[in-house]
Amino acid sequence: MSVTACQGLGFVVSLLGTAGIIAATCMDQWSTQDLYNNPVTAVFNYQGLWRSCVRESSGFTECRGYFTLLGLPAMLQAVRALMIVGIVLSVIGLLVSIFALKCIRIGGMDDSAKAKMTLTSGIMFIISGLCAIAGVSVFANMLVTNFWMSTANMYTSMGGMVQTVQTRYTFGAALFVGWVAGGLTLIGGVLMCITCRGLAPEETKYKAVSYHASGHNVAYRPGGFKASTVFESNTKNKKIYDGGARTEDEGQSHPSKYDYV
């Protein structure tokens, strides 16, 4: 899969996951009344994170919001916080990922900057998906605990008759939407993180340095410069007086072991 296709797929999946998290947070059916023992009832109750609703058999529905903050259970407040954090992170991740798309050019933004932005948005999507999954799981665990406690208190028999009947709640549609949306956001974040490696420019391990070869007529001797003797001066003068004629051996340069090529 190419880098552009992987990045586009991660963006679309994350967008669907973000929309699902927002929808699940706003839905009212986080917990619905269990109708296992009483399938025919005139009133159907269901609750959400922000309000509780009652639907009558006539089709009339009445909802009442939670007009208190400190009076709510701590677990419900924790679920609210996790879902809100997930929404905020996913929305910011979407904004960052839009500018990081390879098919969009903004000014002189290079591939390294797009790679960093893609990695940042991927991390945000992963955290957002984990927050959504954690929030829905905490609420589901609270429902399971209350369900079995209500079941234990429901069948308190006295002479073979049921003494008290309590309303039990089970999983609502919002829980399944939240689980799926959190999973999609998590997958989209992983795809964005994988795309980051393809967008980053490849750096060579060794930097190239150009070297220029020295001239053949330059010889470096370890002994440094020496003062010319009379014999050497006479030899040079003799070569000049001879009209510049040189033998075949003199015309060839003999490199020493100390030469630098």
Side-chain angles (χ1 to χ4, degrees):
M1 183 182 296
S2 62
V3 176
T4 306
C6 185
Q7 188 182 33
L9 180 61
F11 176 78
V12 173
V13 172
S14 301
L15 179 62
L16 295 176
T18 303
I21 294 175
I22 296 175
T25 306
C26 298
M27 289 177 66
D28 295 327
Q29 294 185 353
W30 278 69
S31 59
T32 57
Q33 183 178 354
D34 184 31
L35 302 177
Y36 177 73
N37 292 329
N38 190 12
V40 179
T41 180
V43 178
F44 179 72
N45 299 317
Y46 55 94
Q47 299 175 352
L49 296 179
W50 313 101
R51 60 182 182 175
S52 59
C53 300
V54 177
R55 186 177 62 200
E56 298 180 355
S57 58
S58 60
F60 177 75
T61 302
E62 181 181 1
C63 296
R64 183 177 183 274
Y66 303 137
F67 300 107
T68 179
L69 182 61
L70 300 178
L72 295 175
M75 300 296 289
L76 182 60
Q77 296 182 9
V79 172
R80 280 182 173 183
L82 287 172
M83 299 303 292
I84 292 175
V85 170
I87 292 174
V88 172
L89 289 177
S90 60
V91 170
I92 296 176
L94 284 176
L95 295 177
V96 174
S97 61
I98 290 175
F99 296 101
L101 291 175
K102 193 175 181 180
C103 57
I104 298 178
R105 289 292 180 182
I106 301 176
M109 186 180 298
D110 54 354
D111 291 338
S112 61
K114 286 183 175 292
K116 294 178 181 178
M117 295 175 66
T118 303
L119 180 61
T120 302
S121 62
I123 294 174
M124 287 184 178
F125 288 141
I126 291 175
I127 298 176
S128 174
L130 292 177
C131 288
I133 293 174
V136 175
S137 300
V138 168
F139 194 90
N141 180 64
M142 183 174 60
L143 278 180
V144 171
T145 303
N146 293 335
F147 181 86
W148 291 113
M149 290 180 62
S150 301
T151 303
N153 296 329
M154 180 183 295
Y155 297 102
T156 303
S157 60
M158 179 179 293
M161 300 297 294
V162 176
Q163 182 182 5
T164 58
V165 178
Q166 297 181 357
T167 303
R168 298 183 303 178
Y169 290 92
T170 184
F171 293 171
L175 295 182
F176 302 100
V177 175
W179 272 319
V180 173
L184 290 176
T185 309
L186 183 61
I187 294 173
V190 172
L191 290 176
M192 297 295 282
C193 291
I194 294 175
T195 308
C196 173
R197 298 188 60 184
L199 290 175
E202 297 181 358
E203 297 181 358
T204 58
K205 186 176 181 181
Y206 300 100
K207 295 183 179 180
V209 179
S210 60
Y211 294 95
H212 299 282
S214 59
H216 294 287
N217 296 328
V218 179
Y220 300 91
R221 303 180 182 277
F225 295 97
K226 296 182 181 179
S228 60
T229 61
V230 179
F231 178 77
E232 292 177 353
S233 300
N234 295 334
T235 305
K236 292 179 180 179
N237 295 333
K238 183 179 179 181
K239 290 180 178 180
I240 293 174
Y241 293 145
D242 290 340
R246 297 181 181 178
T247 61
E248 185 177 357
D249 296 334
E250 292 177 352
Q252 296 180 354
S253 60
H254 301 279
S256 64
K257 62 180 181 179
Y258 299 101
D259 292 344
Y260 294 89
V261 181

